[in-house]
Amino acid sequence: MKIIKLDSESKKDILENLLKRSPGQYEKYAKTVNEIINEVKSQKDQALSYYTKQFDKADINSGNIRVTEEEIKEAYSLIDPSVLEVIRKAAYNIETYHTKQKQYSWFDSEPNGIILGQKVTAIGSVGVYVPGGKAAYPSSVLMNVIPAKVAGVKRIAMVTPPDKDGKVYSGTLVAAKEAGVTEIYKVGGAQAIAALAHGTESIKKVDKIVGPGNIYVALAKKAVYGHVSIDSIAGPSEILVIADETANPRYVAADLLSQAEHDELASAILITTSKEIAEQVSIEAAKFTEQLSRRDIIQKSLDNYGYILLADSMEDAIETANEIASEHLEIITRDPFLVMTKIQNAGAIFLGEYSSEPLGDYFAGPNHVLPTNGTAKFFSPLSVDDFIKKSSIISYSKEALKPIYPDIVKFAKAEGLTAHANSISVRFES
Amino acid sequence: MKIIKLDSESKKDILENLLKRSPGQYEKYAKTVNEIINEVKSQKDQALSYYTKQFDKADINSGNIRVTEEEIKEAYSLIDPSVLEVIRKAAYNIETYHTKQKQYSWFDSEPNGIILGQKVTAIGSVGVYVPGGKAAYPSSVLMNVIPAKVAGVKRIAMVTPPDKDGKVYSGTLVAAKEAGVTEIYKVGGAQAIAALAHGTESIKKVDKIVGPGNIYVALAKKAVYGHVSIDSIAGPSEILVIADETANPRYVAADLLSQAEHDELASAILITTSKEIAEQVSIEAAKFTEQLSRRDIIQKSLDNYGYILLADSMEDAIETANEIASEHLEIITRDPFLVMTKIQNAGAIFLGEYSSEPLGDYFAGPNHVLPTNGTAKFFSPLSVDDFIKKSSIISYSKEALKPIYPDIVKFAKAEGLTAHANSISVRFES
C-alpha cells in the first residue's frame, strides 16, 4: 500500500477519487431498468418468467416461482450443522441488539385537555432483495430481515435469483427461515424490484424494499422510490482505520484487507500519526495479500482505493475521517473512546484492538448494512427505525382551543387561506 | 359533494383515482431538470444567475444572491406586529413538541468488556427549500427549520426564489430568522436544489435538502437523492374524516374544505356510518363553498377528488382509511381514541370535534410536513429524526472475543471470505 503525507491537497485528491465509485456514474443503465419495470407493470408474472429465462437461464412461472416448504426442508438437509449453529447464534445476537432500538408511541398531556404525541406502527409489508450465486451471504439475509421482524412487520417477502436449474442456494433459504421471512420468490434483478413495488399475480405489492444488489437492482430501487420506500442505495464497502503508535500493525493490515477483499471498488484507508506504523502496515499488508485466496481482488482494490495516510496530528486524522465519512471506522489508539467523541460521520465505529471489523459483519449484533461512499454524513445503519413509521397524535378540548382560536384564524388569514380560518371559527359561532 | 356507497368496487375506483395525483406521472419534466442540474454543476453561480433571470425575471449574481442583514431588518419593519406575535407563539409550540422527539446515544455493556450501542449525531448542514410568491407560507418555514435546529444542525441554508425586483417576501424572511436559519439565498427551482446538492461559489454544498416545491423542485430532489439525503417527496394535500352520527356536520364540512382549498389536486374524503351525517355534510359543504374566497379551487378539488362514503360499519370505515393512508385523518366519533388504536396508516391523527386540522397546520406543535398520497404506509411526518443520523458502536475486549472467535472464522470461511477470517484469527496467533 502506498504511504502518502496527509495534507489539504492529498486529501482533496483522495476524496475525489473515492467519489468516483458512486453508483451515480451508471445512469446509462437507467433506460434498460425503466423498460424492465414497465414490462413487469403491464405483463406481471409473464414478464418475470421472460426476464428470468433471459438473465438467469431458469424456467420460472406462476406455478414454481414461490419456494415451497419442501425446498426449505431440503436446504436444511444440505447445510453443515455447525454452520447452522453459528447462524443461530448470530441471529440471536442480532435480535438482541436490534430489540434495544425499538421506539415506542408517546404522548404528553396538559390538564386543559391537550394531548400531543406520536403513534409508532410497524410498516405492513416489506420486500427483501438477496443477491444470488456467489454473492449469496446468509449473514446479509439475517441483517436485512431481523430488524423488520423486531419492528413487527407482518409480511416479509424475500426475492432472490435462482440458478439455471431453478434452485436457490441452501444457505440463503435456511437463513431466511431462521430470520422469519414469510414468503420467498425465485426472481432477481430489476424485475424482482418491479414485482415488489407494483405487484404481480404471484407476488403481492409491498410497502418498502430493502437489501443489496447490483447496479440494476440499485437503479430499480431508485426508480420506484416514492411509490414505495427503499433503504439507502448500497455502494462499495469501505474501511478507515485511525491508529497511533500503540497499534499492532499486523492487526491493522489484516483489517484493511478484510474490506479490500469485498470487491475491486472497495476502499481501505489507514490514517496514522506514526511513521513506523505506516511502514509496518504496508509491509504486513503485502505479506498477507500473498497468502489470501482473494488476492487478485485485494490487490486491485488496494492499488485503486487503498491509502496509508501519515497525519501530523490526531486532530488532522480525525478531521479527515469525518470528511471521508467511512462505512466502517476502526479506532486503534491509546484512548479510543476519547477519539470516538470527536467522530461526527461513520457508519459503524469499532473501538480498540480487539474490535475487528468482521466481528460486526457477522456476529456482534449491530447491523452490517451501513451507509457507504460518504453517505454516513446523512444516512444511518439499517435498523428497526427503517421498518416503523410514525403518526402525529393531536387532540384538543374546547377549553384548550378557545383561548388560542383567534391566533390560528389570524395566521390562516395572513396566509390567505380562508377555508382554514373557517374550520376553526365555525366551532365558536354563536 | 357526491355521496357514494362504500363497497369493494367503489373503494377500488377511489384508490385508483387518488393515485392519479402522484408526481410519478410527471417524468416528462425530468430531462429539463437534469439539464439544469448539470449546468449548475459545471457553471455554478453563473448558471444560477442565468436561470433566475429566465424563470424569475430577477437579476441575481454572486454579489447579491445572499440575503443581507439589512434586508431582514426591512422585513421586520414590514410585518404586522400581531402576525409576528403569532409566528413566535407557533414557533414556541413547534419547538416544544419537537424537543420531545429527541433521540439519545445509548450503549449496553457486559462485564466481560463488550460495549454495543448507537451514537446519535446531528447532520452537519441542511438546505431548506421555500417556495416563492403566493405559496410563501411562513408556517412552512417554521415547520422545516425548527426540527433541524432542535436536532442540533449547525448550518441551515434556506433557498427561495426572488420576485422580479429581486426581493423575498417579508413573512418568509421573518419566519426564517425566528426559526434559526443561518443563511438565505435568492434562488429557486431545480437550480436551487442543484446548488445545495453540488455547491457553487456562493452556496456551499449541504448534506440534506428538505422543503416543499413544485414538480421541478420535486424531480430535482429525487435526482440528487443518494448524493445528498432528501425528505420525502411532497404530493397534494389530503384530509380524511371518519365520523359517526355524533359528529357535527358543519364542523366536518368546514374541515373538508380547509384541505380542498389548498389546490385542485387536493383530496377531501368523509367516511361515515350515518346516512344523515352524509347528507348534511354535503349540504353544508355546498353552503360554505359559496362563501369562501378560494371557492373555484375548492369546487374543482371536490369535483375530482372529494367523496362522501357511506360505510356499513365502523370496521369498514377504518379498513378503508388504512388503505387510503391519508395525510390528515380526523376521527370525530363517540370514542375517537378507541378508533385511533385501529389506525395503521395516517400522517397525522386528529381526535375529537375540537381537533380541527388547521390547528395542526399552524399552531399545536406537531409538524405539518406529512406523508401524502398513500405514503403514510411507509413514511413519517418530518421530525427531529430527519436531521440526525446514527453510528453503531462496537467495542470488544480480548476476553470477550476469545471464546467466540472460532465461530466468526467459521462463518467467514463459509461465505468464502478468507481475509475476513484472517483479521479475526491474527489476533490469536501464537
Side-chain angles (χ1 to χ4, degrees):
Chain A
M1 294 178 72
K2 33 191 178 298
I3 302 174
I4 296 172
K5 176 98 185 70
L6 177 63
D7 55 27
S8 58
E9 203 175 321
S10 64
K11 183 160 74 179
K12 190 166 166 279
D13 290 348
I14 291 165
L15 282 166
E16 272 174 19
N17 188 42
L18 292 175
L19 279 179
K20 282 190 196 140
R21 306 174 309 144
S22 159
Q25 310 292 323
Y26 296 88
E27 290 296 335
K28 57 186 167 180
Y29 303 109
K31 194 165 163 267
T32 309
V33 166
N34 283 331
E35 278 168 20
I36 294 173
I37 292 172
N38 287 332
E39 274 299 296
V40 174
K41 261 172 93 168
S42 65
Q43 303 302 316
K44 300 181 195 285
D45 274 0
Q46 211 186 313
L48 298 186
S49 194
Y50 172 81
Y51 288 118
T52 306
K53 186 73 189 170
Q54 187 182 337
F55 297 128
D56 307 303
K57 317 291 175 222
D59 290 309
I60 293 299
N61 55 53
S62 309
N64 66 4
I65 193 170
R66 184 162 175 173
V67 171
T68 63
E69 281 303 317
E70 286 66 41
E71 287 175 290
I72 293 170
K73 258 187 212 153
E74 194 195 350
Y76 272 86
S77 75
L78 292 171
I79 199 162
D80 173 349
S82 68
V83 170
L84 175 58
E85 202 188 318
V86 179
I87 287 178
R88 284 181 174 158
K89 282 189 203 172
Y92 176 82
N93 288 347
I94 295 165
E95 186 175 338
T96 302
Y97 176 82
H98 285 83
T99 299
K100 291 173 192 154
Q101 295 177 335
K102 280 189 81 161
Q103 296 190 46
Y104 298 92
S105 302
W106 61 270
F107 72 91
D108 207 13
S109 64
E110 290 179 38
N112 62 353
I114 295 177
I115 299 172
L116 296 177
Q118 284 186 308
K119 183 184 182 187
V120 176
T121 40
I123 289 176
S125 56
V126 166
V128 179
Y129 190 89
V130 176
K134 57 190 168 122
Y137 300 140
S139 59
S140 174
V141 176
L142 303 180
M143 292 292 183
N144 280 280
V145 174
I146 291 173
K149 197 81 191 166
V150 169
V153 175
K154 292 232 173 70
R155 185 177 161 243
I156 305 175
M158 191 175 105
V159 291
T160 190
D163 65 19
K164 66 180 177 15
D165 302 319
K167 294 266 184 197
V168 174
Y169 170 55
S170 55
T172 302
L173 293 183
V174 168
K177 182 76 181 171
E178 293 291 322
V181 167
T182 55
E183 305 149 33
I184 307 171
Y185 300 97
K186 296 173 182 175
V187 61
Q191 58 275 20
I193 302 299
L196 290 171
H198 297 288
T200 71
E201 297 89 344
S202 295
I203 304 179
K204 247 178 87 185
K205 176 187 183 314
V206 300
D207 296 320
K208 179 159 188 168
I209 303 172
V210 301
N214 62 19
I215 186 69
Y216 292 98
V217 170
L219 287 173
K221 281 164 68 181
K222 189 168 175 177
V224 300
Y225 174 69
H227 182 67
V228 297
S229 180
I230 59 169
D231 59 351
S232 51
I233 290 164
S237 197
E238 296 148 3
I239 190 169
L240 193 154
V241 181
I242 297 177
D244 64 12
E245 71 287 354
T246 66
N248 180 322
R250 275 180 73 75
Y251 300 180
V252 173
D255 294 356
L256 291 169
L257 300 191
S258 77
Q259 288 312 295
E261 83 170 332
H262 268 301
D263 77 66
E264 292 168 13
L265 290 174
S267 160
I269 300 174
L270 164 65
I271 311 182
T272 181
T273 46
S274 159
K275 187 153 184 267
E276 201 188 328
I277 291 289
E279 284 162 1
Q280 287 182 7
V281 168
S282 183
I283 291 164
E284 295 293 342
K287 281 201 275 182
F288 279 134
T289 303
E290 278 183 26
Q291 304 156 13
L292 290 164
S293 59
R294 294 164 73 89
R295 72 184 72 85
D296 293 347
I297 294 173
I298 293 173
Q299 198 56 59
K300 278 196 186 133
S301 151
L302 292 184
D303 287 348
N304 291 323
Y305 304 109
Y307 299 97
I308 295 175
L309 299 174
L310 191 56
D312 282 337
S313 67
M314 193 45 76
E315 284 62 44
D316 285 356
I318 293 167
E319 189 188 303
T320 302
N322 280 330
E323 286 176 60
I324 291 174
S326 187
E327 181 190 15
H328 304 97
L329 173 69
E330 288 187 3
I331 305 173
I332 309 183
T333 61
R334 196 182 306 274
D335 189 348
F337 280 85
L338 178 64
V339 173
M340 181 272 289
T341 64
K342 303 177 206 290
I343 297 301
Q344 289 292 320
N345 307 316
I349 306 172
F350 298 78
L351 297 111
E353 66 178 345
Y354 285 94
S355 309
S356 168
E357 187 280 323
L359 171 66
D361 278 354
Y362 295 108
F363 208 82
N367 212 289
H368 77 197
V369 181
L370 296 167
T372 55
N373 214 4
T375 62
K377 288 182 181 174
F378 43 80
F379 289 147
S380 302
L382 190 72
S383 76
V384 173
D385 299 353
D386 289 290
F387 300 102
I388 58 165
K389 66 228 163 44
K390 299 178 182 177
S391 304
S392 307
I393 296 290
I394 301 169
S395 184
Y396 261 55
S397 64
K398 184 173 186 177
E399 183 193 346
L401 188 61
K402 198 169 182 184
I404 58 153
Y405 95 87
D407 286 338
I408 304 176
V409 169
K410 180 182 286 282
F411 210 148
K413 286 187 175 163
E415 293 194 347
L417 297 175
T418 52
H420 281 63
N422 180 56
S423 83
I424 298 291
S425 55
V426 68
R427 273 136 169 119
F428 298 96
E429 68 191 356
S430 48
Chain B
M1 294 177 73
K2 33 193 179 295
I3 301 176
I4 296 173
K5 177 96 183 69
L6 177 63
D7 55 29
S8 57
E9 204 175 321
S10 63
K11 184 162 69 180
K12 191 166 162 282
D13 290 348
I14 290 164
L15 282 167
E16 273 174 18
N17 188 42
L18 290 176
L19 280 181
K20 282 189 197 141
R21 305 176 307 144
S22 160
Q25 309 293 321
Y26 297 87
E27 292 296 334
K28 57 184 167 182
Y29 302 109
K31 195 165 160 270
T32 308
V33 166
N34 283 331
E35 278 169 19
I36 293 172
I37 292 172
N38 287 332
E39 275 298 296
V40 173
K41 262 172 93 168
S42 65
Q43 302 303 316
K44 302 182 195 282
D45 275 359
Q46 209 186 317
L48 299 186
S49 193
Y50 172 81
Y51 288 119
T52 305
K53 185 74 190 171
Q54 186 181 338
F55 297 129
D56 307 304
K57 318 290 173 223
D59 291 309
I60 292 299
N61 55 54
S62 309
N64 65 6
I65 193 169
R66 184 163 177 175
V67 171
T68 62
E69 282 301 317
E70 286 65 41
E71 288 175 289
I72 293 171
K73 257 187 213 155
E74 193 195 351
Y76 272 86
S77 76
L78 291 170
I79 199 163
D80 174 347
S82 67
V83 171
L84 175 58
E85 202 187 322
V86 179
I87 287 177
R88 285 182 172 159
K89 283 189 203 173
Y92 175 82
N93 288 345
I94 295 165
E95 186 174 339
T96 302
Y97 176 82
H98 285 83
T99 300
K100 292 173 190 152
Q101 296 178 334
K102 280 189 81 161
Q103 296 189 47
Y104 298 91
S105 302
W106 60 270
F107 71 91
D108 207 12
S109 64
E110 290 179 39
N112 62 351
I114 296 178
I115 299 172
L116 296 177
Q118 284 186 308
K119 182 182 181 187
V120 176
T121 39
I123 289 177
S125 56
V126 165
V128 179
Y129 190 90
V130 176
K134 57 191 166 122
Y137 300 141
S139 59
S140 174
V141 176
L142 302 181
M143 291 293 184
N144 280 281
V145 173
I146 292 172
K149 198 81 193 164
V150 169
V153 175
K154 292 232 174 71
R155 183 176 161 242
I156 305 175
M158 191 175 106
V159 291
T160 190
D163 66 18
K164 64 179 178 19
D165 302 320
K167 295 267 182 195
V168 174
Y169 170 54
S170 55
T172 303
L173 293 183
V174 168
K177 183 76 182 172
E178 293 291 322
V181 166
T182 54
E183 305 149 32
I184 307 172
Y185 300 97
K186 297 174 183 174
V187 60
Q191 59 276 20
I193 302 299
L196 290 170
H198 297 288
T200 71
E201 297 89 344
S202 295
I203 305 179
K204 246 179 89 184
K205 178 187 182 314
V206 299
D207 296 320
K208 179 160 187 168
I209 302 172
V210 302
N214 63 19
I215 185 68
Y216 291 97
V217 171
L219 287 173
K221 280 164 69 180
K222 189 169 174 174
V224 299
Y225 174 69
H227 182 66
V228 298
S229 180
I230 61 168
D231 58 352
S232 50
I233 290 163
S237 197
E238 298 148 1
I239 190 169
L240 193 156
V241 181
I242 297 178
D244 64 12
E245 71 287 356
T246 66
N248 181 322
R250 275 180 73 75
Y251 300 179
V252 173
D255 293 356
L256 291 170
L257 302 192
S258 77
Q259 288 312 297
E261 83 170 330
H262 268 300
D263 76 68
E264 292 166 13
L265 290 174
S267 160
I269 300 175
L270 165 65
I271 312 182
T272 180
T273 48
S274 160
K275 188 153 183 268
E276 203 189 327
I277 291 290
E279 284 162 359
Q280 287 183 5
V281 169
S282 183
I283 291 164
E284 295 293 342
K287 279 201 278 184
F288 278 134
T289 303
E290 279 183 26
Q291 302 157 13
L292 289 164
S293 59
R294 293 164 73 90
R295 75 184 70 86
D296 294 346
I297 293 172
I298 293 173
Q299 198 57 57
K300 278 194 187 136
S301 151
L302 293 183
D303 287 348
N304 291 324
Y305 303 108
Y307 299 98
I308 295 175
L309 299 174
L310 192 55
D312 282 338
S313 68
M314 193 45 76
E315 283 64 42
D316 286 355
I318 292 165
E319 190 188 302
T320 302
N322 279 330
E323 286 176 61
I324 291 173
S326 187
E327 182 190 14
H328 304 98
L329 173 69
E330 286 189 3
I331 306 173
I332 309 183
T333 61
R334 196 181 306 273
D335 190 348
F337 279 84
L338 179 63
V339 174
M340 180 273 288
T341 64
K342 302 177 207 291
I343 297 301
Q344 289 291 321
N345 306 317
I349 306 172
F350 297 79
L351 298 111
E353 66 178 343
Y354 286 94
S355 309
S356 169
E357 186 281 324
L359 171 66
D361 279 353
Y362 295 108
F363 209 82
N367 212 289
H368 78 195
V369 180
L370 297 166
T372 56
N373 215 4
T375 61
K377 288 180 180 172
F378 43 80
F379 289 146
S380 302
L382 189 73
S383 76
V384 173
D385 299 354
D386 289 288
F387 300 102
I388 58 166
K389 66 227 166 43
K390 300 178 182 177
S391 304
S392 306
I393 296 290
I394 301 169
S395 184
Y396 261 55
S397 63
K398 183 172 188 179
E399 182 193 348
L401 188 61
K402 197 170 182 185
I404 58 153
Y405 96 85
D407 286 339
I408 305 176
V409 169
K410 181 184 284 284
F411 210 150
K413 286 188 176 163
E415 294 194 346
L417 298 175
T418 51
H420 281 62
N422 180 55
S423 82
I424 298 291
S425 54
V426 69
R427 274 140 168 114
F428 299 96
E429 67 191 356
S430 46

